[in-house]
Every structure is written in structure tokens, then in C-alpha cells.
């Protein structure tokens, strides 16, 4: 199984007095995310499911991916909101669904959670060594059997500037 961890696009500034969970993508954030999504389509990506944080900016990013036809299925997961635990997501969401090995899932969320999840999947611990820019993506291949924690392989880390 392949997981694509996608950070939301550029959002409204925290200093504008807007509640964090209600911050929207900016015009630039929408445009850049649309261009990234179009490039992913050209690269032949297609996700079996896009799972998104319920926060507005992540949901808007996921909606752009859906609009560009990168998937026809979209679900929200509170596990992808701030401070979500990967072990909880694996136990509550991933394991019960028993996906096939050729499944491609896109997870749209936030930093530092997405890079923390990637590092836990790859090395079993958070090392704070990965950087994921807004509208960037990390691809992780999960092992066929057993726990993916510390046993997964990163195959993609892309800043949006390399996709535009």
C-alpha cells in the first residue's frame, strides 16, 4: 500500500483573528494547489481514497484534488487534525478496512503531524529531519505484512516548486 501525505496549501495567516480550524486557503494557496494537483494528474497519480483533516484549509485542499479527478472518494478523519496519533489512525481506521497491497491513499493534513507520521513509519521515531512545504507531498510504501511502524519506505518527497 502507498500512502501519500499531502500538506494543505497556503492558508490565511494565524494573526488575522480567525479560529485555527476555520482558516481558509488564500487565493495564492488555491492557485498553487490547483497547479500541483494538475501536475499529479499528468504524472498519472490516482488515489483510491483521499482522507482529509476536518479543518477548513485541509478540506479545501482535498476538494481541489477531487475536482482535478485525482480520486472520486473523499472522507474526513479527526485523526488528521492537529496532534493526531498515527498509532490511533492505524488501529481505528486503517487496520479495520483491510485494503489491498496496491491501494493508494492520500492523507491531507498539517505540519508537523505529517512529517512526524512519515518518520514514525520509516524509522519508528520522530527525528524532525523531514520538511514538508505547503502543498508538498511525501510518498510512503507500507510493508505487505506486519506493523508498518519503522518498517515503511519513503519513495517520494516533493516540494511544490518541483511540481510547478
Amino acid at each position: 500500500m502507498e500512502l501519500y501525505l499531502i500538506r494543505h496549501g497556503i492558508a490565511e495567516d494565524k494573526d488575522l483573528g480567525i479560529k485555527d480550524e476555520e482558516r481558509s486557503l488564500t487565493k495564492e494557496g488555491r492557485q498553487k494547489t490547483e497547479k500541483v494537483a494538475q501536475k499529479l494528474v499528468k504524472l498519472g497519480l490516482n488515489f483510491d481514497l483521499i482522507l482529509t483533516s476536518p479543518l477548513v484549509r485541509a478540506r479545501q485542499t482535498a476538494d481541489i484534488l477531487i475536482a482535478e479527478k485525482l480520486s472520486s472518494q473523499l472522507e474526513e478523519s479527526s485523526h488528521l487534525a492537529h496532534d493526531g496519533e498515527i498509532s490511533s489512525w492505524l488501529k481505528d481506521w486503517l487496520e479495520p478496512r483491510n485494503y489491498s497491497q496496491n491501494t493508494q491513499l492520500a492523507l491531507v493534513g498539517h505540519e508537523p503531524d505529517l512529517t512526524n507520521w512519515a518518520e514514525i513509519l520509516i524509522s519508528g521515531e520522530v527525528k524532525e529531519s523531514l520538511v514538508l512545504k505547503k502543498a508538498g507531498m511525501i510518498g510512503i510504501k507500507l510493508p505487505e505484512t506486519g506493523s508498518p511502524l519503522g518498517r515503511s519506505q519513503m519513495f517520494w518527497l516533493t516540494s511544490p516548486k518541483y511540481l510547478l
Side-chain angles (χ1 to χ4, degrees), residues 33-53:
T33 303
E34 286 170 359
K35 288 178 182 176
V36 166
Q38 290 164 3
K39 182 65 174 189
L40 295 177
V41 169
K42 287 180 183 176
L43 291 171
L45 281 177
N46 187 277
F47 307 118
D48 296 292
L49 172 66
I50 297 173
L51 190 64
T52 184
S53 158

Side-chain angles (χ1 to χ4, degrees), residues 53-114:
S53 158
L55 279 65
V56 170
R57 59 194 178 275
R59 178 60 193 243
Q60 290 173 329
T61 298
D63 288 341
I64 290 169
L65 301 176
I66 291 288
E68 292 297 331
K69 305 211 181 335
L70 282 161
S71 181
S72 61
Q73 295 186 30
L74 176 64
E75 292 182 35
E76 284 187 8
S77 173
S78 60
H79 292 96
L80 290 167
H82 287 301
D83 299 322
E85 294 288 328
I86 189 166
S87 57
S88 297
W89 179 74
L90 289 169
K91 181 180 173 242
D92 298 342
W93 199 91
L94 187 63
E95 291 171 6
R97 296 192 181 213
N98 197 28
Y99 286 106
S100 71
Q101 281 303 306
N102 60 356
T103 300
Q104 293 182 318
L105 297 179
L107 309 182
V108 180
H110 311 274
E111 276 299 282
D113 301 324
L114 292 177

Side-chain angles (χ1 to χ4, degrees), residues 6-11 25 33 57-58 61 108-110 133-135:
I6 302 171
R7 186 175 179 189
H8 65 77
I10 301 166
L25 294 180
T33 303
R57 59 194 178 275
T61 298
V108 180
H110 311 274
K133 299 287 188 180
K134 290 177 181 164

Side-chain angles (χ1 to χ4, degrees), residues 144-164:
E144 290 185 27
T145 59
S147 172
L149 303 179
R151 300 182 55 239
S152 300
Q153 181 179 18
M154 181 171 65
F155 63 89
W156 191 327
L157 174 56
T158 305
S159 177
K161 73 179 179 179
Y162 296 110
L163 294 172
L164 303 179

